[in-house]
Amino acid sequence: MLVPLLGTKEEEIIIYNNKTEESAQWFFDNGGKKMMKWKGGFKTMNTGFEAGSTRMQSYISGDHSRILLTWNTSTAQSVSWYYESRTKKLEKSPLGYQLPQKIGLSGSVMMFPYLDKENTEIILCWETATGKSISFYYNKSAKMFMRSTLEYQLPEDPGISGKIMMHPYLAGDGNETILIWDMNTGKSIAFKFSSEMKKYLVSLEKNQLPANPGVSEEVMMYPYIGKYGKENILAWSCKNGKSAMWNYDFTEEQFTQAPSGYQLPVSFTENVMMIPRVGNGDEIIYVWDSTNGQSVNYLFDRDQNKYVKSANEYQLPPNPFE
């Protein structure tokens, strides 16, 4: 598992082996002009989760702290960590900053933390088998995470069946959006929060991806806002590494597949994961094999108008734990 640690001007990445619980923390050394490994790093064995069940997601909190949410996919228990700049280590967050031990979901549970347009911290939790979800928000007055009110919850049946994944984000128009899809087929549906109706509604047809997103089999998606404010959705197959980039076309008022230069080459053909990131003026996509940790870092080259493999000094070594 590769997790960019957000909230820093330098490239900083946590590598985590879900089976062995081995972890490594890397950063880009501006002086040496290459990726370097922290000698200390983040030790995830402090979570106490059973082997093979840990997932993690980095985000920036409402007060601009760097947060890493870790959770157990089998029990839905979670631990939130914050980055202590003085010690350059991740420390366990106070009790009020943790989710309840029992959140009301079962089976395989996923989570995604984010900031809404009011800068409130939200954690969306859901069952991958049923699509049932629960949203929590950080109450600044009570100084604790609380279950969001009914109007901020998605419908119990989101209209998609299969192996359900979700990704909340702020769309190009600033509205809170949740993209939901079936990993088996790539079929998706987007919900937007209506300020007028005070609840989540299915987005207009023109704001939906096509039924066939250009990839199939173990489909993952990652919506994000590009360098120039355009709404993008990166879709890929974990099984074969093929990907498709989609852009929201303001002229056509619909998602269209991006030009060939925005499409990535196939780097790995099994257990492929990707994360796009926009930072320091660059558009970057990390691609890695979740089995062995090998990765490739791609950069969008404006002169060539396409994604190219970043220079060697920006790449991680074949074995990032050594």
Side-chain angles (χ1 to χ4, degrees), residues 140-169:
K140 296 177 183 178
S141 298
K143 295 184 178 180
M144 63 184 296
F145 271 100
M146 302 177 67
R147 183 167 175 157
S148 302
T149 53
L150 186 61
E151 59 267 26
Y152 286 94
Q153 304 291 346
L154 287 170
E156 187 162 331
D157 179 2
I160 292 285
S161 60
K163 186 176 182 181
I164 308 303
M165 297 299 290
M166 302 186 183
H167 192 126
Y169 67 107

Side-chain angles (χ1 to χ4, degrees), residues 230 232-233 244-248 255-263:
K230 181 173 286 189
N232 303 321
I233 298 179
M245 179 71 80
W246 295 83
N247 303 141
Y248 188 77
F255 277 101
T256 59
Q257 194 158 358
S260 58
Y262 285 83
Q263 309 301 332

